[in-house]
């Protein structure tokens, strides 16, 4: 299998999470920037992701879509980066728990709030995240007074949850809590996070019309 690693993204998308993950992995990769509604829906990219959404990666002949899946794949494909507890470790449980907590309840709850959707009274039992307060309380308990989610090392679970918390607080779709702010601030200071933001911010600036 070829080891070529290709990243499909847009600088104002969830692709920013995967950019950070790729910078943490530290392997060479090629970036293909796509535009919403045009190249993202063109046949060439629909052959990669029929959903016509970013991000996605292609690693040799392997295509992976969905942010949580990409984070998990990259952590396992490049174990030398130390972004996941080794298979069989007792830390693998909390690692998976919080990685997919970010992919499920956090994502669903924040999206529901940002879209202004109301869960009918008593309907909490029918939605996967229950209520936004339940989700935030669980996340706060996970990060309050703790540097990392799974043991003493930074993992893809921290990256994914931290990215969601940071994004939500920045855009006002998630309540700012001291535990969240402290946790996100530590993570965003990581050199890979700083590099990733600089790369995507530069791409975004290059897309702006002159004088905008």
């Amino acid at each position: 299998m070829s080891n070529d690693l290709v990243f499909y993204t847009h600088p104002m998308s969830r692709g920013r999470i995967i950019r950070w993950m790729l910078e943490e992995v530290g392997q060479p990769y090629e970036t293909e920037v796509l535009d919403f509604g045009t190249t993202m829906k063109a046949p060439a990219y629909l052959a990669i992701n029929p959903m016509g959404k970013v991000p996605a990666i292609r690693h040799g002949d392997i295509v992976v879509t969905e942010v949580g899946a990409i984070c998990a794949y990259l952590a396992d494909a490049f174990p030398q980066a130390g972004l996941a507890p080794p298979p069989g470790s007792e830390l693998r449980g909390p690692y998976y728990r919080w990685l997919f907590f970010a992919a499920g309840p956090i994502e669903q709850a924040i999206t529901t709030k940002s879209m202004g959707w109301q869960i009918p009274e008593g309907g909490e039992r029918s939605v996967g995240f229950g209520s936004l307060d339940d989700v935030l309380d669980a996340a706060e308990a996970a990060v309050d007074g703790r540097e990392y989610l799974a043991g003493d090392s930074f993992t893809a679970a921290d990256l994914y949850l931290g990215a969601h918390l940071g994004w939500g607080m920045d855009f006002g779709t998630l309540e700012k809590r001291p535990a969240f702010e402290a946790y996100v601030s530590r993570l965003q200071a990581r050199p890979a996070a700083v590099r990733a933001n600089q790369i995507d911010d530069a791409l975004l600036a290059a897309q702006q019309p002159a004088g905008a």
Side-chain angles (χ1 to χ4, degrees), residues 65-154:
T65 66
E66 314 314 317
V67 177
I70 298 170
C71 287
Y73 175 84
L74 289 172
D76 286 345
F78 301 101
Q80 65 272 26
L83 296 170
S89 165
E90 63 182 12
L91 296 176
R92 198 77 171 184
Y95 165 73
Y96 280 136
R97 175 187 180 182
W98 296 112
L99 183 65
F100 292 102
F101 181 85
I106 284 281
E107 172 87 17
Q108 294 167 11
I110 291 176
T111 299
T112 297
K113 180 180 179 181
S114 65
M115 293 296 179
W117 298 333
Q118 295 296 319
I119 305 299
E121 185 176 352
E124 294 87 357
R125 291 174 296 179
S126 300
V127 294
F129 64 88
S131 73
L132 179 60
D133 285 342
D134 289 342
V135 169
L136 296 185
D137 288 347
E140 183 177 24
V143 304
D144 191 18
R146 183 181 304 165
E147 190 166 3
Y148 301 117
L149 293 166
D152 298 326
S153 299
F154 173 85

Side-chain angles (χ1 to χ4, degrees), residues 149-202:
L149 293 166
D152 298 326
S153 299
F154 173 85
T155 68
D158 293 294
L159 186 152
Y160 195 15
L161 181 61
H164 269 301
L165 294 177
W167 191 287
M169 289 190 294
D170 285 346
F171 284 90
T173 55
L174 188 151
E175 174 189 344
K176 291 184 178 181
R177 298 186 179 185
F180 294 161
E181 292 178 309
Y183 177 67
V184 170
S185 178
R186 289 196 305 272
L187 299 184
Q188 289 181 342
R190 292 178 63 83
V194 173
R195 286 196 307 272
N197 279 326
Q198 289 173 340
I199 293 168
D200 278 325
D201 288 347

Side-chain angles (χ1 to χ4, degrees), residues 1-6 28 30 58-63 73 77-78:
M1 183 187 79
S2 166
N3 284 321
D4 290 347
L5 187 55
V6 183
E30 174 187 347
R58 179 169 51 80
H59 183 209
D61 296 329
I62 299 172
V63 171
Y73 175 84
F78 301 101

